[in-house]
Amino acid sequence: MPVLFDRLLKLKEMFNSKFGSIPKFYVRAPGRVNIIGEHIDYCGYSVLPMAVEQDMLIAVEPVKTQTLQLANTNPLYPDFSTSANNIQIDKTKPLWHNYFLCGFKGIQEHFGLSNLSGMNCLVDGNIPPSSGLSSSSALVCCAGLVTLTVLGMNLSKVELAEICAKSERYIGTEGGGMDQSISFLAEEGTAKLIEFSPLRATDVKLPSGAVFVIANSCVEMNKAATSHFNIRVMECRLAAKLLAKYRGLQWDKVLRLEEVQAKLGVSLEEMLWITEDALHPEPYSPEEVCRCLGISLQELRTQILSPNTQDVLIFKLYQRAKHVYSEATRVLRFKKICEEAPDNTVQLLGELMNQSHTSCRDLCECSCPELDQLVDICRKFGAQGSRLTGAGWGGCTVSLVPADKLTSFLANVHEAYYQRSDRNVTSEKQSLFATKPGGGALVFLEAQTM
């Protein structure tokens, strides 16, 4: 907390310098690292993240005008102001302030409010941007909690998480809700199994003899700025529909792969066999998808696909379904091993993480050469398991490292990946660090920071 206290004091000074007044309160929302369960939350399956110590902080002062004034401590992010009652979010430009507007608009629409008063906000974040540690979702969550606090209203953490997950889609990302859920539901000292429909979180005690280490590939990937992420969401949606039709279900009502399993009442292992029977490994064209479902191209594009995936020419349905059903199995095995805590717990968890990366690389195809190289380096220098974390195509890896090897691991990975390249490492602490489960979103009143 001393570091956070110092940041709050500094933020207060900067706020005063910027707006000529003192903030009334501060809101904190953490980033997260997903230990295992990649690209499956939007398919309805459980994931296993933990909050990290890095976070978004916002200093806030409600004002009597209807102007929303946003500023950022990072000079790369320009000031922005708009009317609190005319929120426009441009999906074509994932600018930093649009993530704040997502959270603001989500709360506004949830309560059906109009004629809102404005506020002055100064944002400070120490989550590396576009790193797969959920800086954008942390900002959405922070903004949602800011807005709720200004309004003097109350919601449960689960309700807040669900609203913020839904409202982040205003920016065009078809996410599943993991990032927002862990940002609100996280607790210090424990990872969480996050389950959906209904949203709930269960403690998962991580092994004491090992440490999770995050390493940044230094390849930035903003999932709202490209179509990669949404293409995976749509491929999984189409796979779910084809599997449902193959088994005689009402496919047009099905959106997620988990729904197919639930409606059939079979195991994840059986779903892998059904995928083998129902889908072929060769990519599907839009025309073939239409033939399988008995719909027109126009119906496919306007009724099923998202706006930035309507011109995609191939869909790898078999590979995506295989990844999702196998990854969902690995999440449940990971939790079970943590609960049973056998003598070789760290080795078993590491193997699951390695299998996860292989699946992400080969079946989901969301890795990149730098992430693969970094994973190999981490394993070479002592990680029992290492995998990409977050959406992929850049960002970070997470590695499970025996505690007695941590010092040498950090030194060796730093030399092998960062020093032997011309990678722009602005801060070693932001690029390679051990982490432990942190707490969730909080509100600090000004009196508490004095």
Side-chain angles (χ1 to χ4, degrees), residues 124-136:
D124 179 61
N126 60 7
I127 309 169
S130 302
S131 64
L133 300 180
S134 201
S135 57
S136 53

Side-chain angles (χ1 to χ4, degrees), residues 215-337:
N216 194 338
S217 70
C218 302
V219 177
E220 291 194 359
M221 192 282 176
N222 183 321
K223 64 187 180 187
T226 69
S227 59
H228 297 317
F229 183 85
N230 279 0
I231 289 172
R232 295 299 176 277
V233 178
M234 292 306 130
E235 286 175 317
C236 291
R237 182 177 294 178
L238 291 174
K241 289 181 180 296
L242 264 67
L243 288 170
K245 179 147 195 212
Y246 177 79
R247 290 303 297 261
L249 301 174
Q250 194 175 354
W251 64 266
D252 56 322
K253 303 290 186 191
V254 170
L255 291 176
R256 295 186 293 273
L257 286 163
E258 186 275 336
E259 293 171 47
V260 182
Q261 183 197 358
K263 289 177 189 298
L264 292 176
V266 300
S267 68
L268 284 163
E269 188 178 10
E270 287 173 288
M271 283 311 306
L272 285 166
W273 288 112
I274 292 169
T275 299
E276 291 285 349
D277 289 341
L279 303 175
H280 55 68
E282 299 77 25
Y284 287 72
S285 67
E287 290 78 11
E288 185 179 4
V289 170
C290 290
R291 284 197 300 275
C292 291
L293 296 178
I295 59 175
S296 68
L297 269 174
Q298 179 69 7
E299 288 172 312
L300 173 67
R301 288 178 176 138
T302 59
Q303 295 178 22
I304 299 177
L305 299 179
S306 65
N308 68 344
T309 62
Q310 290 176 2
D311 297 323
V312 175
L313 298 177
I314 61 165
F315 300 101
K316 296 189 177 182
L317 308 187
Y318 168 88
Q319 290 83 351
R320 309 315 181 221
K322 289 271 285 188
H323 167 74
V324 169
Y325 290 129
S326 63
E327 186 78 345
T329 303
R330 284 186 283 274
V331 171
L332 299 180
R333 284 181 184 158
F334 196 102
K335 178 177 181 281
K336 191 165 186 281
I337 291 165

